Amino acid sequence: MPDVHSLVNEFVIKLKKRKIEGSKATAKLTVELLRSFISQQRLPHSNQAAALIDAVKAVGEKLIAANPVELAVGNVVRRVLHIIREEDLSLATAAVGGLSLAAESDDEDDIDRDDHPVLSATAVAAAARNALRPPSLQTLLEDIPHSAAAPHTSSSGGDSEGKSKSADKNSVTRKLKHNVIEAVNELIQEISTCHEQIAEQAVEHIHQNEVILTLGSSRTVMEFLCAAKEKKRSFRVFVEGAPRYQGHALAKELAARGLQTTVITDSSVFAMISRVNMVIVGAHAVMANGGVIAPVGLNMVALAAQRHAVPFVVLAGVHKLCPLYPHNPEVLLNELKSPSELLDFGEFSDCLDFGSGTGSPLLHVVNPVFDYVPPNLVSLFITDTGGHNPSYMYRLIADYYSADDLVVRRKSAS
Amino acid sequence: MVAKKGSRGGMGGEDAEEELTRVPLQAILLADSFATLFRPITLERPKVLLPLVNAPMIDYTLAWLESAGVEEIFVFCCAHSKQVIDYLESSKWFDQPNLSVTTIESYNSTSAGDALRLIYEKHVIRGDFILVTGDTVSNMSLAQALKEHKERRRKDKDAVMTMVIKQSKPSPVTHQSRLGTEELFMAIDPDTKQLLYYEDKVDTSKGIVSLDKALLIDNSSISLHNDKQDCYIDICSPEVLSLFTDNFDYQHLRRHFVKGLLVDDIMGYKIFTHEIHSSYAARVDNYRSYDTISKDIIQRWTYPLVPDVQFFGNYVTKLERQGAYRASDVGLSRSAKIGPFTVIGSGTTIGNYTKVSNSVVGEGCIIGSNVSIDGCYIWDKVTIEDGCKLKHAIVCDGVIIKSGAVLEAGVVLSFKVIIGRGFVVPAYSKVSLLQQPVKQDSDEELEYADNSSGNMEIASISNTPEKLEEEMRTELSDSQIQAASEVGNGGVGFIWSVSDGGHEEEWRHSVAPIPEDCLVEILKNATDELEISNEDGNILPPSGELEPDSVNDSDEDVRDDSVHFEKEVEATFLRAVHENVKEDHVILEVNSLRLSYNLTSTDCAGALFYAMMKLALDTPHGSPGELVKNVASVITKWKKLLKYYLSSIDEEIEVILKFEEMCLELTKEYSTLFVQVTWFIGFDFASSIRQRYFTRRCYTELGIRKGRGR
């Protein structure tokens, strides 16, 4: 236990100090941390799902508070919570459905647990996801007696009765945890392969002799472009350097991979956009309304693209889907980085001398990291599940997150 | 971690080196400035615990060291060591993963030198270490500097220290850096980056820096900087500690140690510099730098050590428009105006129509209505009643400012001072509950070495705040019964008299910007000095232009070219007289002189005539009659020469004016012979000439005649 806590603390410190850069890395680290947290979490016999959810929420709250700007942390925490809920649900249905089955093959349970229930759980979850429906009436009905019965037995049950049930319960406990961990592993898999998933769709979107504009540096975008290259499509890419000149790094890498690349300045985007067939960019987060929080400068690019009717395509892994709306106070954040990225401190040090004049700073440098691109400027989202319209985002989000988890805060706090 | 990375680059398997790399990166943090610049505040609380934008300074330093990969930090505490240790215990610095913080306590260290000697005795430093003070704010990465340091060490065992410097232009007017420190001059070898000269106490009034000649002999190239700022971040080898032990008189890190090493060429130890460009580093040295660094933090130059990032222990703060930071639970009146670059701490309430700008307000403050706060640093739990006006002040914890009081620029209110109703605290005054210590300690550098009574009081304050409050209440009633105290009716506190630096120096280091009139005065002084020095420069005669054989070249007070020219012409003429040079040749020489001085032929005529008259005068004579004869003979002899230049009326008038001038200034003898002499020259005072002559004379007497001489 203390081991996990120190892990959590360490991660929180890292987040606080902004040592982890990039939403994918953050998402992956968060989910890995949550996995080890869940695996070490001791669960009570009764009402395990709720206990687990509470525990994860507690950790999640800490993580989110550590760096509220990095929305991927919150997204992953919510995903994990949703997974727990789903597993709990499917386990309950499986328990009811497979009661006879369990009774028949009690000794086979051990083997069963390893693959069969997992399959069933994921199958149920997948089914639920595909059908895009809330839990069916039947599962709801089954759920109530189950959760009601559990505390009842534990409260009234003596030792003798508890002993007889303990084996079964223990297995249920382990089953839930096991299933959750399995599902979390899947999530990890999903996050780490999201680039490939997205890149696979590249061929459908990039055609021969096209000119593509992108901004800043995004791993997803790079993989996407390279995948198109491998499919023998020839096209030209415009990259550009924002204040952090990540575009230069991207240009270097693209050129190394044999892609025709042109670097233009940010300010010449509007002039060049008429020659561009498609704008493909990465995102920091995708909001529930289909708006995008993206590297600074993208709003300008999106407006230019709209003016010239150039499709504006945003690539985003599922972990970037945020169930919040941009008007939520938690999201009204921008990271303002050090002005030294824009100005050389030494050169401007005489402008920053507060010893003369009124003492108020005359020179102020603002270096924001993010821009908000409203949904009406986005033509298409490409996630690892395929292309989606901005207006469809809320539905996608409903699949991945439970409505109960939108505000990750313990009840005690409220 | 960083150290390992730094030193592993290409060194193969040398055992000694490997051993070095295994030593965790260590840092010595001096939690005592050994200075008195922050008095009276530092009498009650150590400087490193003073809040800088609502977080103790030491947190900035520790957070930076931790993020830079330092694994072991030794915190050296001396003044108020208990407070520092208590703070470190209550905060979580002792139980950080990957970081061990150890305190070293001392009661009798009076300087950085003493501190380092004590640390040396403890034998805790095993490898290269970083030496900083507890008031450093930085976000630089040490990896590069460490790597350079280790590489140099491998080549040259004498490279004991790497100093971190940063470009920062000093103010051309006040000759101090933006951090309020004196203009710093450094000579650095541009290739090796070796520090060759370090002087922070330059006499700027004269604008002179003197370098040792040996520096220029020994080094093929030197770059001299005055726009570098010393960050007081040093990467040191273990030898530094032993050097301090060997030289027991080394006290100050820079004044003694660095200069000592630079001067001492027997041991041959070298100091190098590492310049940082994109990252930030500065040290809170005085009130001015406190102000400057606070503003830098608010403007995010120190990212990620900024208020809205919880780098350590600070509460949640949100950055709003115009660079205003606000904690989540601030009670802000709807009509209150929070201006730009302001930080408001949690639990603070601000009343109606109050304006706050460019300021930092701490936690739990209560600020009334109609208060105006500009450029102030208000710490925790301060009460400011209605209608107060604060401008560029530092207000410490627990201060109460009664309604209508005014703090003028540069005021410092120490802990728990109470300012009476409507009292105006004069500019640059420092108010404390403690009496100003009598100046008896010879070593004025010590924040620590107080007279005992001061320390006693400190102890009572820090230990039992409640008791103190009671005391204060009684004191308060006492003072109310008595006359109004030093700080207004109902106020508690003593106004410290200005230290021996005098009022002159006070504005240099205060939080307030330098007042306009001070700047104007400095500027005036500077230009005066400049003019004096310029004149000095002009006094030197341009002797190179004189002919080698000219008689009067040496100690003539040459005012300008035309005077010079006249002398030259006279010399030429005299030579012609004595050596019987032909007239044509004289004309040639005079013409060449005229060209070289860029003058007109009128000037030649005047000068020649002057020379002739002087010759006549110099020829021995008894009476005015003889003088006239002399003049006649000279003029008849050289008439041709004179005529050459007298081609028009203008020149003739010029000659007459010259003569007149001679009469007035040089020889009174001629004045009686004025008309006779002019007759000899062969001018007929014909109507036109005379008329013009007299008009010119009128001008002369009115003092507006132009064109003659200069």
Side-chain angles (χ1 to χ4, degrees):
Chain A
M1 281 291 273
D3 182 24
V4 183
H5 273 293
S6 71
L7 269 178
V8 169
N9 282 340
E10 203 174 320
F11 189 65
V12 163
I13 288 165
K14 268 190 194 163
L15 280 176
K16 273 184 183 171
K17 291 185 179 151
R18 310 290 199 258
K19 272 193 180 165
I20 305 166
E21 291 270 336
S23 50
K24 192 190 167 190
T26 321
K28 208 169 167 190
L29 286 169
T30 314
V31 70
E32 276 166 5
L33 178 82
L34 286 175
R35 181 178 62 179
S36 55
F37 177 76
I38 291 167
S39 66
Q40 294 207 22
Q41 188 71 25
R42 232 179 254 262
L43 286 178
H45 289 307
S46 59
N47 215 2
Q48 308 153 344
L52 195 61
I53 284 171
D54 267 357
V56 171
K57 265 191 180 178
V59 174
E61 196 187 350
K62 254 197 235 168
L63 295 181
I64 291 169
N67 187 353
V69 180
E70 186 52 270
L71 294 164
V73 179
N75 299 343
V76 167
V77 170
R78 289 184 188 102
R79 275 293 289 279
V80 171
L81 288 172
H82 186 238
I83 284 169
I84 298 170
R85 282 175 207 278
E86 246 184 11
E87 292 302 333
D88 186 34
L89 201 66
S90 67
L91 210 62
T93 48
V96 172
L99 205 61
S100 55
L101 185 103
E104 279 167 25
S105 56
D106 216 9
D107 48 350
E108 268 179 325
D109 205 21
D110 281 0
I111 312 140
D112 253 10
R113 234 182 287 124
D114 279 330
D115 41 25
H116 177 63
V118 174
L119 278 179
S120 76
T122 46
V124 169
R129 201 175 294 163
N130 289 341
L132 301 176
R133 59 176 169 79
S136 70
L137 191 63
Q138 192 204 358
T139 51
L140 280 173
L141 284 172
E142 304 295 357
D143 195 28
I144 292 161
H146 174 79
S147 56
H152 175 72
T153 47
S154 65
S155 60
S156 68
D159 262 347
S160 58
E161 206 183 311
K163 205 165 186 181
S164 67
K165 288 223 169 187
S166 70
D168 180 38
K169 250 195 207 140
N170 206 18
S171 77
V172 169
T173 309
R174 272 193 280 160
K175 211 181 265 174
L176 174 72
K177 217 155 111 174
H178 189 92
N179 291 356
V180 166
I181 286 166
E182 278 301 316
V184 170
N185 277 340
E186 245 173 65
L187 178 62
I188 293 173
Q189 193 65 25
E190 191 186 304
I191 290 171
S192 46
T193 59
C194 72
H195 288 332
E196 289 89 67
Q197 298 264 345
I198 293 171
E200 269 173 21
Q201 306 164 47
V203 194
E204 297 164 26
H205 296 280
I206 298 178
H207 307 289
Q208 195 73 15
N209 286 331
E210 276 196 332
V211 177
I212 288 158
L213 185 139
T214 184
L215 177 136
S217 173
S218 163
R219 185 105 219 136
T220 324
V221 172
M222 209 193 71
E223 298 285 344
F224 191 79
L225 295 173
C226 292
K229 162 81 180 169
E230 274 163 24
K231 293 286 189 287
K232 306 271 186 287
R233 297 272 156 87
S234 77
F235 52 92
R236 299 204 321 170
V237 190
F238 281 170
V239 231
E240 40 171 14
R244 277 160 277 287
Y245 299 106
Q246 291 158 329
H248 298 178
L250 180 66
K252 204 173 170 187
E253 211 155 334
L254 287 176
R257 297 219 191 171
L259 275 164
Q260 186 75 40
T261 312
T262 312
V263 176
I264 58 171
T265 58
D266 282 3
S267 30
S268 60
V269 164
F270 195 84
M272 301 300 259
I273 199 91
S274 56
R275 293 166 56 186
V276 169
N277 296 97
M278 187 188 268
V279 178
I280 299 178
V281 291
H284 174 67
V286 178
M287 310 310 291
N289 66 344
V292 182
I293 293 182
V296 70
L298 259 190
N299 195 20
M300 181 189 71
V301 176
L303 284 166
Q306 192 197 35
R307 183 80 175 77
H308 287 268
V310 177
F312 188 84
V313 177
V314 176
L315 308 183
V318 201
H319 62 273
K320 290 187 177 174
L321 290 182
C322 181
L324 300 171
Y325 284 84
H327 52 74
N328 282 38
E330 295 90 33
V331 191
L332 287 175
L333 289 169
N334 204 340
E335 184 90 324
L336 293 177
K337 293 225 172 177
S338 167
S340 61
E341 284 172 350
L342 305 185
L343 296 183
D344 182 30
F345 184 80
E347 279 304 310
F348 284 83
S349 56
D350 43 351
C351 309
L352 294 162
D353 192 348
F354 307 120
S356 48
T358 58
S360 58
L362 296 172
L363 179 72
H364 182 212
V365 189
V366 183
N367 181 14
V369 179
F370 302 124
D371 237 1
Y372 174 67
V373 182
N376 58 325
L377 297 182
V378 181
S379 318
L380 187 71
F381 283 103
I382 300 177
T383 67
D384 30 12
T385 57
H388 302 288
N389 226 25
S391 57
Y392 184 71
M393 275 299 131
Y394 84 99
R395 198 55 232 166
L396 208 59
I397 278 159
D399 287 353
Y400 287 118
Y401 304 104
S402 155
D404 303 336
D405 302 327
L406 290 190
V407 179
V408 184
R409 196 165 285 175
R410 273 171 300 173
K411 275 162 200 158
S412 58
S414 62
Chain B
M1 203 174 117
V2 178
K4 282 173 201 159
K5 227 185 269 167
S7 52
R8 243 178 221 162
M11 67 170 60
E14 283 179 53
D15 280 357
E17 295 289 353
E18 278 302 311
E19 201 173 37
L20 256 182
T21 58
R22 254 182 265 125
V23 173
L25 184 57
Q26 293 174 313
I28 295 175
L29 187 151
L30 301 177
D32 191 343
S33 59
F34 303 108
T36 56
L37 284 162
F38 270 89
R39 277 191 178 184
I41 302 174
T42 45
L43 284 182
E44 296 171 51
R45 194 187 279 188
K47 184 173 151 199
V48 292
L49 295 188
L50 304 185
L52 187 69
V53 194
N54 291 342
M57 290 182 200
I58 198 168
D59 275 1
Y60 287 91
T61 316
L62 287 171
W64 160 62
L65 287 175
E66 200 252 286
S67 67
V70 174
E71 289 151 272
E72 207 170 350
I73 302 175
F74 296 98
V75 179
F76 183 89
C77 336
C78 187
H80 308 288
S81 56
K82 187 152 183 358
Q83 280 190 49
V84 177
I85 292 168
D86 284 350
Y87 173 75
L88 290 176
E89 269 165 6
S90 66
S91 63
K92 287 179 186 151
W93 282 114
F94 282 136
D95 41 60
Q96 291 286 302
N98 310 326
L99 176 72
S100 86
V101 178
T102 320
T103 54
I104 296 171
E105 211 176 345
S106 159
Y107 300 103
N108 52 3
S109 297
T110 54
S111 68
D114 288 347
L116 293 180
R117 280 185 278 275
L118 192 80
I119 291 167
Y120 178 72
E121 283 163 21
K122 295 214 185 262
H123 298 291
V124 285
I125 298 296
R126 282 157 289 173
D128 290 350
F129 65 96
I130 293 143
L131 178 61
V132 291
T133 49
D135 44 17
T136 308
V137 178
S138 175
N139 59 0
M140 73 173 280
S141 151
L142 288 170
Q144 183 62 28
L146 268 171
K147 191 177 157 199
E148 282 176 16
H149 179 77
K150 290 201 187 254
E151 261 166 27
R152 270 197 294 267
R153 283 278 290 166
R154 225 156 11 117
K155 287 188 204 126
D156 185 356
K157 277 287 169 202
D158 291 335
V160 288
M161 191 165 121
T162 302
M163 252 166 76
V164 176
I165 56 171
K166 182 167 175 58
Q167 191 189 10
S168 171
K169 297 174 190 165
S171 157
V173 180
T174 54
H175 293 287
Q176 65 179 22
S177 71
R178 57 193 296 276
L179 296 174
T181 49
E182 295 291 320
E183 196 168 1
L184 172 69
F185 281 90
M186 281 182 172
I188 295 169
D189 188 323
D191 303 322
T192 62
K193 303 288 173 211
Q194 188 186 346
L195 180 72
L196 303 167
Y197 177 79
Y198 182 100
E199 184 58 67
D200 55 350
K201 291 248 181 285
V202 186
D203 190 2
T204 43
S205 61
K206 287 196 189 111
I208 295 170
V209 178
S210 48
L211 288 176
D212 193 357
K213 200 162 70 183
L215 272 185
L216 299 166
I217 295 167
D218 296 344
N219 299 282
S220 55
S221 59
I222 279 183
S223 55
L224 196 59
H225 301 276
N226 76 334
D227 60 345
K228 298 283 183 256
Q229 168 205 326
D230 187 353
C231 302
Y232 292 91
I233 297 168
D234 303 324
I235 298 160
C236 306
S237 304
E239 283 90 337
V240 169
L241 290 181
S242 54
L243 269 172
F244 264 98
T245 319
D246 297 343
N247 301 280
F248 52 85
D249 55 337
Y250 281 177
Q251 304 290 341
H252 193 267
L253 271 180
R254 292 288 182 261
R255 234 172 287 152
H256 301 123
F257 176 69
V258 168
K259 285 185 188 169
L261 281 200
L262 290 177
V263 170
D264 177 23
D265 42 5
I266 300 162
M267 305 295 284
Y269 285 120
K270 290 171 193 156
I271 298 172
F272 289 86
T273 57
H274 173 80
E275 188 172 356
I276 51 172
H277 294 282
S278 61
S279 41
Y280 186 87
R283 182 181 162 216
V284 183
D285 190 43
N286 49 40
Y287 288 124
R288 159 95 49 236
S289 51
Y290 180 86
D291 173 59
T292 305
I293 293 172
S294 296
K295 280 176 178 148
D296 289 342
I297 292 170
I298 293 169
Q299 294 211 27
R300 308 181 77 82
W301 288 98
T302 58
Y303 184 91
L305 305 179
V306 288
D308 63 330
V309 174
Q310 292 170 283
F311 56 91
F312 195 81
N314 45 353
Y315 44 82
V316 184
T317 312
K318 244 176 109 171
L319 176 60
E320 297 181 349
R321 295 279 157 101
Q322 286 191 305
Y325 299 82
R326 209 166 74 179
S328 50
D329 51 348
V330 171
L332 196 62
S333 158
R334 203 171 272 271
S335 54
K337 267 191 187 164
I338 304 299
F341 310 115
T342 300
V343 181
I344 311 282
S346 70
T348 292
T349 56
I350 296 176
N352 299 327
Y353 302 107
T354 288
K355 280 181 196 159
V356 185
S357 58
N358 293 317
S359 301
V360 177
V361 181
E363 292 172 55
C365 296
I366 300 163
I367 296 171
S369 312
N370 290 313
V371 177
S372 98
I373 297 174
D374 183 30
C376 294
Y377 297 91
I378 293 165
W379 297 358
D380 299 344
K381 299 191 181 56
V382 172
T383 307
I384 300 172
E385 292 180 0
D386 298 354
C388 292
K389 281 193 171 50
L390 287 79
K391 219 168 160 51
H392 304 294
I394 291 181
V395 180
C396 296
D397 289 6
V399 168
I400 298 170
I401 302 174
K402 299 252 169 111
S403 55
V406 177
L407 301 191
E408 287 184 354
V411 166
V412 176
L413 300 185
S414 189
F415 297 92
K416 295 187 175 152
V417 162
I418 300 173
I419 298 296
R421 190 172 302 245
F423 185 76
V424 179
V425 185
Y428 305 115
S429 52
K430 300 189 169 80
V431 185
S432 171
L433 283 189
L434 306 175
Q435 288 270 23
Q436 186 165 20
V438 188
K439 265 270 180 282
Q440 56 187 16
D441 40 351
S442 57
D443 211 349
E444 78 282 352
E445 289 209 345
L446 311 180
E447 145 186 332
Y448 163 80
D450 281 314
N451 44 4
S452 53
S453 68
N455 266 337
M456 290 281 283
E457 265 184 273
I458 296 158
S460 74
I461 285 167
S462 54
N463 291 343
T464 56
E466 295 84 10
K467 200 176 136 199
L468 179 90
E469 227 148 76
E470 278 168 30
E471 269 173 37
M472 262 168 46
R473 294 283 167 265
T474 53
E475 213 176 310
L476 184 73
S477 54
D478 282 355
S479 61
Q480 270 170 343
I481 291 163
Q482 291 168 1
S485 78
E486 254 184 278
V487 284
N489 198 1
V492 176
F494 301 102
I495 296 185
W496 282 31
S497 61
V498 174
S499 56
D500 47 296
H503 204 72
E504 162 71 29
E505 289 304 305
E506 208 58 34
W507 48 261
R508 278 187 182 272
H509 300 308
S510 91
V511 278
I514 297 165
E516 204 71 34
D517 46 335
C518 279
L519 283 179
V520 169
E521 199 174 304
I522 299 172
L523 210 60
K524 208 173 119 248
N525 289 344
T527 46
D528 284 356
E529 274 156 19
L530 208 66
E531 266 166 25
I532 289 166
S533 66
N534 276 351
E535 272 172 26
D536 283 350
N538 276 352
I539 284 167
L540 293 170
S543 53
E545 285 181 18
L546 291 173
E547 281 182 32
D549 57 344
S550 59
V551 227
N552 48 355
D553 62 341
S554 57
D555 42 28
E556 286 284 344
D557 190 7
V558 184
R559 277 290 164 202
D560 51 45
D561 271 2
S562 71
V563 173
H564 202 81
F565 171 74
E566 278 175 15
K567 304 271 175 204
E568 294 269 3
V569 170
E570 195 187 331
T572 314
F573 179 72
L574 284 176
R575 200 153 41 89
V577 171
H578 296 310
E579 294 168 18
N580 284 323
V581 182
K582 274 188 181 172
E583 285 145 2
D584 294 344
H585 292 180
V586 177
I587 289 168
L588 210 66
E589 273 191 50
V590 171
N591 272 348
S592 70
L593 276 173
R594 175 175 70 93
L595 289 173
S596 73
Y597 284 94
N598 197 17
L599 292 166
T600 58
S601 57
T602 321
D603 294 308
C604 295
L608 266 176
F609 180 70
Y610 177 84
M612 286 173 184
M613 287 295 128
K614 201 138 184 239
L615 177 69
L617 196 66
D618 289 347
T619 333
H621 58 270
S623 63
E626 274 180 57
L627 181 64
V628 174
K629 264 185 205 157
N630 279 345
V631 172
S633 69
V634 170
I635 286 177
T636 41
K637 190 176 176 193
W638 297 99
K639 198 164 200 160
K640 204 178 152 199
L641 179 66
L642 201 59
K643 279 284 175 212
Y644 179 83
Y645 288 103
L646 295 176
S647 51
S648 74
I649 294 173
D650 278 341
E651 274 112 48
E652 288 181 5
I653 288 175
E654 175 66 30
V655 166
I656 292 169
L657 287 172
K658 192 81 203 172
F659 184 43
E660 184 193 70
E661 193 188 340
M662 273 184 82
C663 294
L664 288 172
E665 293 169 7
L666 236 134
T667 49
K668 294 281 180 272
E669 287 177 73
Y670 275 128
S671 41
T672 49
L673 310 168
F674 186 77
V675 181
Q676 279 168 290
V677 173
T678 45
W679 168 253
F680 279 118
I681 306 166
F683 302 158
D684 47 342
F685 252 54
S687 53
S688 63
I689 297 178
R690 196 180 300 166
Q691 209 172 358
R692 285 181 61 178
Y693 166 70
F694 280 109
T695 44
R696 292 273 298 266
R697 265 202 73 172
C698 291
Y699 286 132
T700 318
E701 271 152 30
L702 286 169
I704 49 171
R705 181 162 55 107
K706 298 157 250 166
R708 185 186 56 85
R710 333 187 15 104

